[in-house]
Each structure stands twice: as C-alpha cells, then as structure tokens.
Amino acid sequence: AFSAHTAAGLQRADLYQELGGQRRQLQSIIENAPVGIVYLAVDGTILAINIAAAAKYGKDRSAMLGRHYAGQLHDLPEPLFEDARGGSPSHASHHVHTSDGGPTGVCDLSLVPIRNDASEVVAVLLLSFDVTELVNAQHDAETARGEAEGALAQVRATQTQMIQVEKMRAIGELASGVAHDFNNALQAILGYAELATDTLDDPATLKGYLAIITKAAQDASTTVHRLQSFAKQRGVSHGEPTDIAGIVRDVVDLTRPRWRDAAHREGNSYDVTMDLQPAPLIYAEPSGLREVLINLVHNALNAMPKGGTLNIATRHLSLKEVAIEVRDSGHGMPPEVINRIFDPFFTTRGVEGTGLGLAVSWTIIQRHGGSIEVSSEPGMGTHFLVRLPIRELERGAHVSVSGVSLPAPAALVEVLVVDDEPFVASVVSTILSRHGYHATAVHNAHDAIGLIEEQPEGFQIVITDHGMPGMNGLQLVAELKRRWPSLPVVLLTGWGESLLQTHVTETLPDEVLGKPINQADLLQSVDRVLQRRPEASAQISRRSYPTD
C-alpha cells in the first residue's frame, strides 16, 4: 500500500512538473506574442495582460491587473465587450486607439467569450493585432498611387501636347513640300505665260508654250490628288504607256525658266544636255516621273549656284529595265549626307529647304517598283540613276496624243451648270458651248431648281459643284433625283470620288468628276451619261440657237 501511494505520488509529481512546464511554456508564448492579449473577467476586471498589450497602452502591467478595463483600456468600445460577455464573438477592424501620453495606433480587435464545461461564459479574451504599419503602408501606397496617377496624367497630357506639336510640325513640313511642288509648277506656268505673251505673233511657238503650261497645271492637279490619297503607299494601280525620253524632254522644257531665263538674269550659265537613247515604253504615271526628275534637276541646280553642266540621259539596261540618269558638276556630297538624303525632312539647305523633295521622289519610284541610286564625292558632282521596270502593257492601253477627237452631241443638248464660283461655271459652260452643247450657268442650287421648275423638259443633263452654300451638291442631286428621276446629274468636285467614301448618301449622281478637269474628261463624261439614258436623250430639244 505504501509503495502504491508512493508510486501515485511520484506520478502526480511528474504530471505536476510536466503541467508546470507546459504552463511556463504557454506563459512564455503569451508574454512574448506580438499580439496584445488581455484576459478579462465577465465583470470587466483585468485578470491577465501580456507585454505587448501593456506596451500598447504605455502602462505598467502590475498597475493594470485587478482593475476594470474602462479605466485602463479606455478606448475599448463597450459594445464589443458586452457582446462578448453575452456569448457573441465581436470584432473591430482598423480601430484607432490612444494611450495616455503615448502615440496613436491602429489595430484590429477580437473579443472571444471563454466558456466552462457548462457552456457558461466565465471570461473574455481580448486579442489586439497592431496594423499601424500596414495602414501607414497602405496610406503611403495610396498616396504614391495618386501621385503616380497624377504624374501619368501629366505625362499623357505632355505626350498629347508633343504629339499635337509634332502633327503641326509635320503638317507644316507637308505644306512646305506641297508648296515646293506647286512652286515648281507655277514656275513653269508663269515663265511660259510670259514667254507666250511675247510670242503672240508666232502661233507654232505659242502653241508649244501653251502645251507646256497645260502639262504643268495637270502635274499640279496630280500633286493635289496625291495629297488627298496621302499615306496610301500602294503600287501603281493605274497609269499609261510612257516614253521616258518624252518625260525627259518635258522636264527640260518645264525647268527651262529656272536654268536659262532666271539664270541669265543672275549672270549665271548652265549647260543642260540630253542623251536620249532608244528605250521601250513603260507603264507608269507620267506626272509622277516628271515630279521626280524636276526635283532632281532643281537639286542639281542648287548644287551649282554659280553655273555648271547638267546632263540627263535615258538608257535601256536590259529586257526588264530602263533607266534615267541625272548627272551634275556641282559641289557633291560626303558619305554621311548621301546616307540621309532620302530621309524625310533632311536638308542641307537650311531654312530654304524642306527636306521632302527626294523623300517624295523615292516614294514615287518605289511605287513604280523601281529604285534610285546615287553616287557623289565632294567637289566631283553627283550622279543619280533611276531604275524603272518594263511591265507588260495592259490590254487596250493606248498612248495619249494631242488632237484626239472629242465626242459631240448628235443634236443640240441643253446643259445646266451649277457652281458658286462664277469663273469655274464660265469655264465649264464655255467648253460645252464650243463643242456643240447649249450651256446655262447658275450659281446656287435653289436657282437651279427654280429654273428646272420653269422648264421641266428644258434640260437634258445637270453638272453641279458639291461645295456650295445653302444646299451642297449631294443634297441637290438627291432633290433632283426625287423630283425628276430621269434627269442625269454629274457631280463636279475637288474631292473627286473620295467624296462618296466619306459622305453617306442614298442618292448617287450618275458620274463624279474630280477638279480640275480637262475638256476630254468633261465631254466624255457627258457623252457617257447621255448614252446611258436613252429616255433622256429622246427628249433632246431640236430648237435652234444662235451660234454665239
């Protein structure tokens, strides 16, 4: 019995020792836990508190034990404790607490009811998780995010401004390039207009000068069309059989006011020669090739400010390729300049140059499937070689020649011309009148409608401009087609057929002609429209009009 009692006592001692070790271990964990832990009686008396909780309120633990929490944990919300004492766990997120004379902090509070074996609440455990650093970090992050968003908005605004400035600069450079091309055309037009004025008594020479003026104006029109189709870098989808030797002769004639007349006035002299070897026709845009060669000629003249020699030659290189050479005796270029001469906006002429001439020329030649090669040395002149492919001509293609017969009406046709520009209306009316039509001109859509109302069968076709005040051309087309469905209407506009791609309309004109137009295009369009409308042609008036 004694041994049994001794064994039981030793076992109890071991259990007590083990329980004491566990108690000390648990006490150490609670004491050193980074979480504030307070053990409260159901009446609110503080029974235990760990180091973290005491430090949170800046008080001595011994002074806090045995006292009511309201005087020690002064910022603990009373409803939370009451809920926990009533048996419901409670929680408060981001609770701001203050200590007596200590710093303000932010914590997450959790109050858990402690129950006995009879499920009665006998105590409340308060857990306090300090999240001050987390909240501060979150606040700093939100502040930084706000600052970053503000900086990003400012960067975007600055970027938008820079893009706008760049757009305006590019538009300015583009306008300068267009002005450059138009100045080239105007140089030829004005120069030969002066020469034509001085040769009125020589019809043959005068006719040649007028032909050059017409060609220069047509090239300027092509420049406008190319500007309207800006950035559509496609291969040549239309063109005509072209003699490169004829292109060279045209360019020499077009630039003669610059290298001969203007140069003589300045006391300079240029020796311009042509070496035109036989070469087959190529399928190309003559106006584009003339623009390329005019740019090369003007660059060559700029490289010889005191005069020099310029030679333009044509070559038949192979069965698949022809070439045009432009060689000058100017000051030449170093390698670093040669490597950049085809870059847009690069120029060595300072404010006098746009840097677009050779860039545009390179684009035109690329569109033709060709290439431009350049060789030059300082003091040794410059040599440009333009290579162009020989392509099979399209079936039915023909070379344009002057003096082509233009269609004339079988009987007198009444044409109503509508254009708010009196000069344009006069030109169109004069062309029609000189080729057998009787044209009447008005300068707005309302007058046109009023005139047709007075003479419902008096006109067989209407030719109208688009850009007019009050009622534009497309609106007039719609009104005419609504009231007189069989009356043909031709729309004449500076936007050409692209107008119908940007303006949605239910009623379309019979044909669209782009300004500027020549006689052949106008007369052929009128003839096509009348041929497609036999019912309208049957109404052609047989009345006679004076020839004036």
Side-chain angles (χ1 to χ4, degrees), residues 165-380:
V165 170
E166 184 64 21
K167 284 182 178 179
M168 296 305 296
R169 186 188 68 82
I171 291 173
E173 297 288 356
L174 183 61
S176 297
V178 173
H180 173 267
D181 293 338
F182 270 99
N183 283 335
N184 289 343
L186 291 175
Q187 176 75 44
I189 293 173
L190 294 176
Y192 279 99
E194 292 178 351
L195 295 174
T197 303
D198 296 336
T199 56
L200 295 177
D201 55 348
D202 187 350
T205 303
L206 178 61
K207 183 178 181 180
Y209 289 162
L210 294 177
I212 294 174
I213 292 174
T214 301
K215 193 169 297 181
Q218 290 171 343
D219 288 351
S221 172
T222 303
T223 298
V224 173
H225 178 73
R226 187 177 296 114
L227 183 63
Q228 291 173 334
S229 305
F230 183 66
K232 296 180 180 180
Q233 304 297 340
R234 306 173 181 172
V236 175
S237 58
H238 63 279
E240 61 186 62
T242 303
D243 178 15
I244 59 174
I247 296 294
V248 171
R249 284 190 288 265
D250 290 344
V251 169
V252 171
D253 288 338
L254 287 167
T255 57
R256 182 175 285 110
R258 167 78 184 277
W259 57 261
R260 188 185 66 180
D261 304 320
H264 288 174
R265 286 195 297 267
E266 298 173 359
N268 299 325
S269 177
Y270 293 99
D271 182 14
V272 179
T273 59
M274 292 181 288
D275 180 10
L276 307 180
Q277 298 181 3
L281 299 179
I282 64 171
Y283 199 67
E285 294 175 345
S287 61
L289 295 185
R290 281 193 290 266
E291 182 177 345
V292 171
L293 292 184
I294 288 174
N295 277 323
L296 294 181
V297 169
H298 284 176
N299 284 344
L301 298 177
N302 291 331
M304 302 181 292
K306 301 300 182 182
T309 61
L310 173 65
N311 178 261
I312 308 176
T314 59
R315 301 281 185 265
H316 185 192
L317 299 181
S318 66
L319 295 177
K320 297 182 178 181
E321 196 173 45
V322 297
I324 303 174
E325 295 181 87
V326 179
R327 189 187 302 272
D328 66 67
S329 61
H331 48 63
M333 296 178 288
E336 59 270 19
V337 174
I338 294 177
N339 293 334
R340 298 191 59 193
I341 59 173
F342 296 112
D343 293 346
F345 312 127
F346 174 76
T347 178
T348 59
R349 298 179 58 203
V351 296
E352 296 182 359
T354 65
L356 288 173
L358 289 178
V360 171
S361 298
W362 182 86
T363 302
I364 293 173
I365 297 302
Q366 288 289 312
R367 195 166 64 243
H368 281 78
S371 64
I372 303 181
E373 302 172 6
V374 56
S375 58
S376 181
E377 293 182 14
M380 301 298 293

Side-chain angles (χ1 to χ4, degrees), residues 46 49 54 59-67 72:
I46 299 176
I49 184 170
K59 296 183 178 181
D60 182 72
R61 285 195 297 169
S62 60
M64 299 176 70
L65 294 174
R67 305 183 68 176
Q72 305 300 317

Side-chain angles (χ1 to χ4, degrees), residues 67-115:
R67 305 183 68 176
H68 195 273
Y69 79 87
Q72 305 300 317
L73 313 180
H74 55 82
D75 59 348
L76 177 64
E78 183 177 353
L80 295 180
F81 180 78
E82 294 298 328
D83 289 343
R85 187 170 65 170
S88 300
S90 56
H91 182 78
S93 296
H94 289 188
H95 171 67
V96 178
H97 70 84
T98 58
S99 57
D100 294 341
T104 300
V106 182
C107 62
D108 288 346
L109 301 179
S110 292
L111 285 86
V112 182
I114 306 299
R115 301 176 185 272

